[in-house]
């Protein structure tokens, strides 16, 4: 595999990065603590969102409950993604990620407290995840070797998928072993949440003060929505939003789609775990491969093609090879989710610009994605079939293909008039 190219730290005009990367922390122990904390936080980031799918066919949750619980994560992450910029300015990336992990733990505990707690805790977890999602690309760029950006974003996605897949696989067995208690099964998320908070605690001693008030990502964020960055920001929002819409809608409804096709309830829950495992695989490989190139469009198109293959399988023969379709969809959608972080880093001129692109794309993108689970539920209720929602998913992929064109490569720098002769 070709070695990843360094991430540029100058803008097209050649101006120096106003926020140069911090010096590498020396010592094997410090490096081990950094990687360990990063992995533990990553393992926990999607755990709560993958728990309901396996439980849905067996635990008796109503359609309205499942629809709302599918809507809350992307909606809250879109609404609260700008909170990450405030956290970065006031706390810095390390402290911001630590307190986000503490909020994740609090939300995991609240989710155990009955159905109202499940809703409230999901909101808390989603807010914390919004902060983590925005800060992780900046944290990776500032704390790791630029040549390792793709690998570390891949590790982030792989860990997310692995942690979520493991907990999802345990949902039905724990539900059965606990006398059909969904609270006990949901409570498993407390373990990785606690480990994430503990893992990030050592990074507090390296934490630097946030960006001074009145500077940093807030004014840059406004700038990326106008001028030369407007097309880039719009492309990032559209690509990330449409991919995330498909991810959360599939995460919420895949077991129900398979059950309606004749797959046994227990098997359908297991396919959810296989889907999340695919998310881990695609989430690791895609950033590693994409970061090694200046043009990510071939990787984006490959991801979209894999997703189309998975949805085509669900349309044509859902009960014949559910494991294959679940795995293929997971690889495609996991790759689409993870490669977005590489796009922020590769298209960003400096740390503040990366933070601004990440914030803007995730704010708009998650708000777009929030419509997915509800729209799929309505289409299914009206047509009494999953064929129409699945055809709609294919249409979303076509839109995503167009949306990815600008986000996938750097704009060529035009020579000055004097240079053109």
């Amino acid at each position: 595999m070709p070695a990843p190219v360094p991430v540029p730290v100058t803008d097209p005009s050649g101006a120096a990065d106003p926020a140069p990367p911090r010096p590498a922390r020396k010592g094997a122990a410090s490096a081990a603590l950094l990687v360990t904390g990063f992995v533990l936080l990553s393992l926990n980031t999607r755990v709560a969102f993958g728990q309901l799918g396996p439980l849905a066919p067996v635990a008796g949750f109503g359609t309205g409950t499942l629809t709302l619980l599918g809507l809350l994560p992307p909606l809250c992450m879109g609404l609260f993604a700008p909170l990450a910029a405030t956290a970065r300015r006031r706390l810095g990336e390390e402290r911001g990620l630590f307190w986000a992990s503490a909020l994740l733990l609090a939300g995991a505990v609240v989710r155990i407290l009955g159905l109202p707690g499940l809703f409230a805790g999901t909101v808390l977890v989603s807010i914390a995840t919004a902060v983590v999602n925005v800060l992780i690309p900046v944290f990776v760029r500032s704390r790791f070797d630029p040549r390792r950006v793709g690998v570390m974003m891949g590790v982030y996605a792989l860990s997310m998928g692995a942690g979520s897949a493991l907990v999802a696989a345990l949902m039905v067995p724990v539900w059965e072993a606990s006398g059909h208690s969904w609270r006990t099964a949901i409570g498993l998320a407390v373990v990785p949440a606690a480990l994430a908070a503990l893992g990030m605690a050592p990074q507090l001693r390296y934490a630097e003060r946030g960006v001074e008030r009145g500077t940093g990502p807030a004014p840059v964020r406004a700038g990326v929505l106008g001028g030369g960055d407007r097309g880039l920001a719009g492309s990032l929002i559209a690509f990330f939003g449409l991919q995330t819409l498909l991810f959360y809608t599939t995460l919420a409804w895949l077991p129900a789609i398979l059950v309606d096709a004749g797959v046994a309830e227990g098997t359908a829950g297991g396919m959810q775990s296989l889907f999340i495992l695919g998310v881990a695989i695609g989430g690791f490989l895609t950033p590693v491969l994409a970061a090694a190139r200046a043009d990510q469009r071939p990787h984006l198109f490959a991801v979209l093609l894999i997703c189309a293959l998975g949805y085509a399988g669900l349309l044509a023969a859902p009960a014949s090879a559910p494991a294959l379709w679940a795995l293929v969809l997971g690889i495609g959608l996991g790759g689409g989710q993870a490669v977005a972080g590489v796009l922020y880093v590769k298209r960003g001129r400096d740390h503040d610009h990366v933070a601004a692109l990440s914030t803007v794309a995730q704010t708009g993108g998650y708000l777009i994605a929030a419509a997915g689970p509800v729209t799929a539920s309505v289409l299914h209720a009206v047509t009494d079939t999953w064929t129409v929602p699945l055809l709609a998913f294919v249409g979303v992929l076509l839109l995503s293909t167009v949306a990815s064109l600008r986000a996938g490569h750097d704009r060529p720098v035009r020579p000055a008039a004097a240079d053109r002769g």
Side-chain angles (χ1 to χ4, degrees), residues 74 77-83 134 221 237 240 358-368:
M77 285 189 280
L79 292 174
F80 290 96
L83 182 64
V134 173
R221 187 172 66 252
I237 290 170
F240 178 74
S358 181
T359 301
V360 166
Q362 295 190 56
T363 299
Y366 277 119
L367 292 177
I368 292 172

Side-chain angles (χ1 to χ4, degrees), residues 1 34 93 100 118 130 134 148 167 180 215 217-218 235 240 256 264 282 302 331 356 365 396 411 414 418:
M1 182 184 302
L34 173 62
E93 289 103 40
L118 183 59
V134 173
R148 300 292 178 260
V167 173
H180 297 177
T215 65
S235 182
F240 178 74
I331 292 172
V396 170
R411 184 187 296 276
R414 295 183 179 181

Side-chain angles (χ1 to χ4, degrees), residues 32-94:
L33 285 173
L34 173 62
V35 173
T36 299
F38 179 76
V39 169
L40 289 174
L41 178 62
S42 303
L43 282 169
N44 180 57
T45 305
R46 291 289 187 276
V47 163
F49 304 144
Q51 290 184 293
L52 270 295
L55 288 175
V58 297
F61 293 115
T63 301
T65 296
L66 291 173
T67 300
L68 183 55
L69 288 171
L71 166 68
L72 283 174
L75 179 62
C76 290
M77 285 189 280
L79 292 174
F80 290 96
L83 182 64
T86 301
R88 180 172 178 254
R89 288 199 306 274
R90 294 179 178 273
L91 303 173
E93 289 103 40
E94 288 86 355

Side-chain angles (χ1 to χ4, degrees), residues 264-344:
E265 292 180 347
T267 302
M271 294 306 98
Q272 180 84 338
S273 300
L274 194 58
F275 167 76
I276 298 173
L277 179 62
V279 170
I281 296 171
F284 175 74
L285 292 177
T286 308
V288 172
L289 297 174
R293 298 287 184 267
D295 188 345
Q296 285 77 46
R297 285 174 296 182
H299 306 88
L300 303 184
F301 296 158
V303 159
L304 295 169
L305 185 60
I306 292 170
C307 292
L309 177 62
Y311 286 125
L314 287 181
L315 279 166
S320 299
L324 176 61
W325 310 136
L327 187 62
V328 168
L329 271 174
I331 292 172
L333 292 173
Q337 287 282 286
V339 77
V342 173
L343 299 180
Y344 309 145

